[in-house]
PDB file of all heavy atoms in Angstrom:
ATOM      1  N   ALA O 412      86.410  74.490 114.037  1.00 86.00           N
ATOM      2  CA  ALA O 412      86.116  73.066 114.220  1.00 86.00           C
ATOM      3  C   ALA O 412      86.886  72.220 113.208  1.00 86.00           C
ATOM      4  O   ALA O 412      87.454  71.167 113.559  1.00 86.00           O
ATOM      5  CB  ALA O 412      84.607  72.828 114.083  1.00 86.00           C
ATOM      6  N   LEU O 413      86.940  72.672 111.952  1.00 88.00           N
ATOM      7  CA  LEU O 413      87.689  71.947 110.936  1.00 88.00           C
ATOM      8  C   LEU O 413      89.185  71.916 111.263  1.00 88.00           C
ATOM      9  O   LEU O 413      89.841  70.872 111.157  1.00 88.00           O
ATOM     10  CB  LEU O 413      87.477  72.606 109.571  1.00 88.00           C
ATOM     11  CG  LEU O 413      86.094  72.441 108.922  1.00 88.00           C
ATOM     12  CD1 LEU O 413      85.984  73.327 107.690  1.00 88.00           C
ATOM     13  CD2 LEU O 413      85.842  70.988 108.558  1.00 88.00           C
ATOM     14  N   GLU O 414      89.740  73.055 111.677  1.00 87.00           N
ATOM     15  CA  GLU O 414      91.176  73.137 111.957  1.00 87.00           C
ATOM     16  C   GLU O 414      91.589  72.208 113.088  1.00 87.00           C
ATOM     17  O   GLU O 414      92.615  71.505 112.991  1.00 87.00           O
ATOM     18  CB  GLU O 414      91.549  74.580 112.298  1.00 87.00           C
ATOM     19  CG  GLU O 414      91.472  75.520 111.109  1.00 87.00           C
ATOM     20  CD  GLU O 414      91.590  76.978 111.510  1.00 87.00           C
ATOM     21  OE1 GLU O 414      91.504  77.270 112.729  1.00 87.00           O
ATOM     22  OE2 GLU O 414      91.752  77.821 110.613  1.00 87.00           O
ATOM     23  N   ASN O 415      90.817  72.187 114.149  1.00 84.00           N
ATOM     24  CA  ASN O 415      91.174  71.334 115.280  1.00 84.00           C
ATOM     25  C   ASN O 415      91.044  69.857 114.938  1.00 84.00           C
ATOM     26  O   ASN O 415      91.864  69.036 115.366  1.00 84.00           O
ATOM     27  CB  ASN O 415      90.298  71.685 116.491  1.00 84.00           C
ATOM     28  CG  ASN O 415      90.781  72.931 117.205  1.00 84.00           C
ATOM     29  OD1 ASN O 415      91.687  72.879 118.019  1.00 84.00           O
ATOM     30  ND2 ASN O 415      90.187  74.067 116.884  1.00 84.00           N
ATOM     31  N   THR O 416      90.023  69.504 114.162  1.00 86.00           N
ATOM     32  CA  THR O 416      89.851  68.112 113.751  1.00 86.00           C
ATOM     33  C   THR O 416      91.015  67.653 112.877  1.00 86.00           C
ATOM     34  O   THR O 416      91.574  66.563 113.054  1.00 86.00           O
ATOM     35  CB  THR O 416      88.526  67.948 112.993  1.00 86.00           C
ATOM     36  OG1 THR O 416      87.441  68.340 113.841  1.00 86.00           O
ATOM     37  CG2 THR O 416      88.328  66.496 112.554  1.00 86.00           C
ATOM     38  N   GLU O 417      91.424  68.489 111.937  1.00 86.00           N
ATOM     39  CA  GLU O 417      92.486  68.115 111.004  1.00 86.00           C
ATOM     40  C   GLU O 417      93.849  68.038 111.687  1.00 86.00           C
ATOM     41  O   GLU O 417      94.663  67.173 111.352  1.00 86.00           O
ATOM     42  CB  GLU O 417      92.518  69.121 109.853  1.00 86.00           C
ATOM     43  CG  GLU O 417      91.315  69.011 108.939  1.00 86.00           C
ATOM     44  CD  GLU O 417      91.047  70.271 108.156  1.00 86.00           C
ATOM     45  OE1 GLU O 417      91.814  71.244 108.309  1.00 86.00           O
ATOM     46  OE2 GLU O 417      90.060  70.293 107.390  1.00 86.00           O
ATOM     47  N   LEU O 418      94.106  68.934 112.630  1.00 83.00           N
ATOM     48  CA  LEU O 418      95.384  68.886 113.328  1.00 83.00           C
ATOM     49  C   LEU O 418      95.528  67.573 114.087  1.00 83.00           C
ATOM     50  O   LEU O 418      96.613  66.985 114.149  1.00 83.00           O
ATOM     51  CB  LEU O 418      95.510  70.074 114.288  1.00 83.00           C
ATOM     52  CG  LEU O 418      96.866  70.232 114.976  1.00 83.00           C
ATOM     53  CD1 LEU O 418      97.973  70.468 113.948  1.00 83.00           C
ATOM     54  CD2 LEU O 418      96.829  71.375 115.984  1.00 83.00           C
ATOM     55  N   TRP O 419      94.436  67.074 114.641  1.00 83.00           N
ATOM     56  CA  TRP O 419      94.478  65.794 115.337  1.00 83.00           C
ATOM     57  C   TRP O 419      94.660  64.640 114.346  1.00 83.00           C
ATOM     58  O   TRP O 419      95.466  63.728 114.573  1.00 83.00           O
ATOM     59  CB  TRP O 419      93.205  65.602 116.144  1.00 83.00           C
ATOM     60  CG  TRP O 419      93.034  64.214 116.685  1.00 83.00           C
ATOM     61  CD1 TRP O 419      92.084  63.298 116.352  1.00 83.00           C
ATOM     62  CD2 TRP O 419      93.866  63.567 117.672  1.00 83.00           C
ATOM     63  NE1 TRP O 419      92.260  62.133 117.045  1.00 83.00           N
ATOM     64  CE2 TRP O 419      93.337  62.264 117.869  1.00 83.00           C
ATOM     65  CE3 TRP O 419      94.984  63.956 118.382  1.00 83.00           C
ATOM     66  CZ2 TRP O 419      93.918  61.371 118.756  1.00 83.00           C
ATOM     67  CZ3 TRP O 419      95.558  63.064 119.276  1.00 83.00           C
ATOM     68  CH2 TRP O 419      95.023  61.792 119.454  1.00 83.00           C
ATOM     69  N   LYS O 420      93.935  64.686 113.240  1.00 82.00           N
ATOM     70  CA  LYS O 420      94.008  63.598 112.269  1.00 82.00           C
ATOM     71  C   LYS O 420      95.378  63.533 111.593  1.00 82.00           C
ATOM     72  O   LYS O 420      95.908  62.440 111.339  1.00 82.00           O
ATOM     73  CB  LYS O 420      92.921  63.773 111.198  1.00 82.00           C
ATOM     74  CG  LYS O 420      91.498  63.644 111.707  1.00 82.00           C
ATOM     75  CD  LYS O 420      91.178  62.226 112.140  1.00 82.00           C
ATOM     76  CE  LYS O 420      89.714  62.082 112.520  1.00 82.00           C
ATOM     77  NZ  LYS O 420      89.400  60.701 112.996  1.00 82.00           N
ATOM     78  N   LEU O 421      95.980  64.685 111.304  1.00 79.00           N
ATOM     79  CA  LEU O 421      97.220  64.720 110.537  1.00 79.00           C
ATOM     80  C   LEU O 421      98.470  64.601 111.400  1.00 79.00           C
ATOM     81  O   LEU O 421      99.453  63.970 111.005  1.00 79.00           O
ATOM     82  CB  LEU O 421      97.294  66.016 109.722  1.00 79.00           C
ATOM     83  CG  LEU O 421      96.248  66.175 108.610  1.00 79.00           C
ATOM     84  CD1 LEU O 421      96.276  67.582 108.046  1.00 79.00           C
ATOM     85  CD2 LEU O 421      96.486  65.161 107.496  1.00 79.00           C
ATOM     86  N   GLU O 422      98.472  65.242 112.582  1.00 75.00           N
ATOM     87  CA  GLU O 422      99.682  65.288 113.405  1.00 75.00           C
ATOM     88  C   GLU O 422      99.490  64.691 114.792  1.00 75.00           C
ATOM     89  O   GLU O 422     100.434  64.694 115.591  1.00 75.00           O
ATOM     90  CB  GLU O 422     100.169  66.741 113.540  1.00 75.00           C
ATOM     91  CG  GLU O 422     100.573  67.399 112.232  1.00 75.00           C
ATOM     92  CD  GLU O 422     101.843  66.819 111.649  1.00 75.00           C
ATOM     93  OE1 GLU O 422     102.525  66.043 112.350  1.00 75.00           O
ATOM     94  OE2 GLU O 422     102.164  67.125 110.471  1.00 75.00           O
ATOM     95  N   ARG O 423      98.286  64.197 115.077  1.00 78.00           N
ATOM     96  CA  ARG O 423      97.975  63.651 116.407  1.00 78.00           C
ATOM     97  C   ARG O 423      98.218  64.693 117.497  1.00 78.00           C
ATOM     98  O   ARG O 423      98.646  64.386 118.613  1.00 78.00           O
ATOM     99  CB  ARG O 423      98.769  62.378 116.710  1.00 78.00           C
ATOM    100  CG  ARG O 423      98.788  61.335 115.610  1.00 78.00           C
ATOM    101  CD  ARG O 423      97.418  61.018 115.076  1.00 78.00           C
ATOM    102  NE  ARG O 423      96.590  60.269 116.029  1.00 78.00           N
ATOM    103  CZ  ARG O 423      95.316  59.904 115.801  1.00 78.00           C
ATOM    104  NH1 ARG O 423      94.745  60.268 114.669  1.00 78.00           N
ATOM    105  NH2 ARG O 423      94.639  59.224 116.706  1.00 78.00           N
ATOM    106  N   VAL O 424      97.932  65.957 117.166  1.00 74.00           N
ATOM    107  CA  VAL O 424      98.038  67.055 118.127  1.00 74.00           C
ATOM    108  C   VAL O 424      96.622  67.524 118.423  1.00 74.00           C
ATOM    109  O   VAL O 424      95.895  67.932 117.513  1.00 74.00           O
ATOM    110  CB  VAL O 424      98.886  68.218 117.576  1.00 74.00           C
ATOM    111  CG1 VAL O 424      98.874  69.392 118.551  1.00 74.00           C
ATOM    112  CG2 VAL O 424     100.308  67.750 117.318  1.00 74.00           C
ATOM    113  N   ARG O 425      96.252  67.453 119.693  1.00 74.00           N
ATOM    114  CA  ARG O 425      94.864  67.749 120.065  1.00 74.00           C
ATOM    115  C   ARG O 425      94.817  68.898 121.057  1.00 74.00           C
ATOM    116  O   ARG O 425      95.615  68.969 121.984  1.00 74.00           O
ATOM    117  CB  ARG O 425      94.206  66.513 120.669  1.00 74.00           C
ATOM    118  CG  ARG O 425      92.803  66.750 121.249  1.00 74.00           C
ATOM    119  CD  ARG O 425      92.229  65.483 121.835  1.00 74.00           C
ATOM    120  NE  ARG O 425      91.881  64.526 120.800  1.00 74.00           N
ATOM    121  CZ  ARG O 425      91.519  63.259 121.042  1.00 74.00           C
ATOM    122  NH1 ARG O 425      91.520  62.812 122.292  1.00 74.00           N
ATOM    123  NH2 ARG O 425      91.203  62.466 120.048  1.00 74.00           N
ATOM    124  N   LEU O 426      93.834  69.790 120.864  1.00 73.00           N
ATOM    125  CA  LEU O 426      93.552  70.841 121.831  1.00 73.00           C
ATOM    126  C   LEU O 426      92.459  70.338 122.765  1.00 73.00           C
ATOM    127  O   LEU O 426      91.318  70.140 122.334  1.00 73.00           O
ATOM    128  CB  LEU O 426      93.084  72.111 121.122  1.00 73.00           C
ATOM    129  CG  LEU O 426      92.598  73.246 122.023  1.00 73.00           C
ATOM    130  CD1 LEU O 426      93.717  73.731 122.928  1.00 73.00           C
ATOM    131  CD2 LEU O 426      92.038  74.400 121.197  1.00 73.00           C
ATOM    132  N   PRO O 427      92.763  70.092 124.042  1.00 69.00           N
ATOM    133  CA  PRO O 427      91.728  69.628 124.976  1.00 69.00           C
ATOM    134  C   PRO O 427      90.742  70.744 125.290  1.00 69.00           C
ATOM    135  O   PRO O 427      91.057  71.697 126.022  1.00 69.00           O
ATOM    136  CB  PRO O 427      92.537  69.216 126.212  1.00 69.00           C
ATOM    137  CG  PRO O 427      93.797  70.001 126.135  1.00 69.00           C
ATOM    138  CD  PRO O 427      94.079  70.224 124.684  1.00 69.00           C
ATOM    139  N   VAL O 428      89.555  70.644 124.726  1.00 66.00           N
ATOM    140  CA  VAL O 428      88.556  71.702 124.882  1.00 66.00           C
ATOM    141  C   VAL O 428      88.185  71.900 126.349  1.00 66.00           C
ATOM    142  O   VAL O 428      87.904  73.013 126.793  1.00 66.00           O
ATOM    143  CB  VAL O 428      87.311  71.378 124.037  1.00 66.00           C
ATOM    144  CG1 VAL O 428      86.230  72.435 124.242  1.00 66.00           C
ATOM    145  CG2 VAL O 428      87.684  71.289 122.559  1.00 66.00           C
ATOM    146  N   SER O 429      88.222  70.815 127.122  1.00 63.00           N
ATOM    147  CA  SER O 429      87.861  70.929 128.535  1.00 63.00           C
ATOM    148  C   SER O 429      88.762  71.912 129.276  1.00 63.00           C
ATOM    149  O   SER O 429      88.328  72.555 130.236  1.00 63.00           O
ATOM    150  CB  SER O 429      87.940  69.550 129.195  1.00 63.00           C
ATOM    151  OG  SER O 429      89.254  69.028 129.099  1.00 63.00           O
ATOM    152  N   GLY O 430      90.004  72.047 128.826  1.00 59.00           N
ATOM    153  CA  GLY O 430      90.914  72.971 129.491  1.00 59.00           C
ATOM    154  C   GLY O 430      90.535  74.425 129.305  1.00 59.00           C
ATOM    155  O   GLY O 430      90.996  75.290 130.063  1.00 59.00           O
ATOM    156  N   LEU O 431      89.695  74.699 128.286  1.00 60.00           N
ATOM    157  CA  LEU O 431      89.267  76.071 128.047  1.00 60.00           C
ATOM    158  C   LEU O 431      87.908  76.373 128.669  1.00 60.00           C
ATOM    159  O   LEU O 431      87.465  77.524 128.656  1.00 60.00           O
ATOM    160  CB  LEU O 431      89.194  76.337 126.541  1.00 60.00           C
ATOM    161  CG  LEU O 431      90.504  76.172 125.770  1.00 60.00           C
ATOM    162  CD1 LEU O 431      90.286  76.471 124.299  1.00 60.00           C
ATOM    163  CD2 LEU O 431      91.579  77.090 126.332  1.00 60.00           C
ATOM    164  N   LEU O 432      87.236  75.362 129.200  1.00 63.00           N
ATOM    165  CA  LEU O 432      85.899  75.592 129.759  1.00 63.00           C
ATOM    166  C   LEU O 432      85.959  76.392 131.050  1.00 63.00           C
ATOM    167  O   LEU O 432      85.061  77.193 131.335  1.00 63.00           O
ATOM    168  CB  LEU O 432      85.194  74.248 130.001  1.00 63.00           C
ATOM    169  CG  LEU O 432      84.836  73.451 128.747  1.00 63.00           C
ATOM    170  CD1 LEU O 432      84.145  72.157 129.136  1.00 63.00           C
ATOM    171  CD2 LEU O 432      83.940  74.273 127.826  1.00 63.00           C
TER     172      LEU O 432
END
Side-chain angles (χ1 to χ4, degrees):
L413 289 171
E414 290 169 348
N415 281 277
T416 301
E417 290 158 1
L418 186 62
W419 169 246
K420 294 292 185 182
L421 294 170
E422 297 290 350
R423 313 310 289 178
V424 175
R425 173 180 289 171
L426 173 62
V428 177
S429 60
L431 300 180
L432 293 180

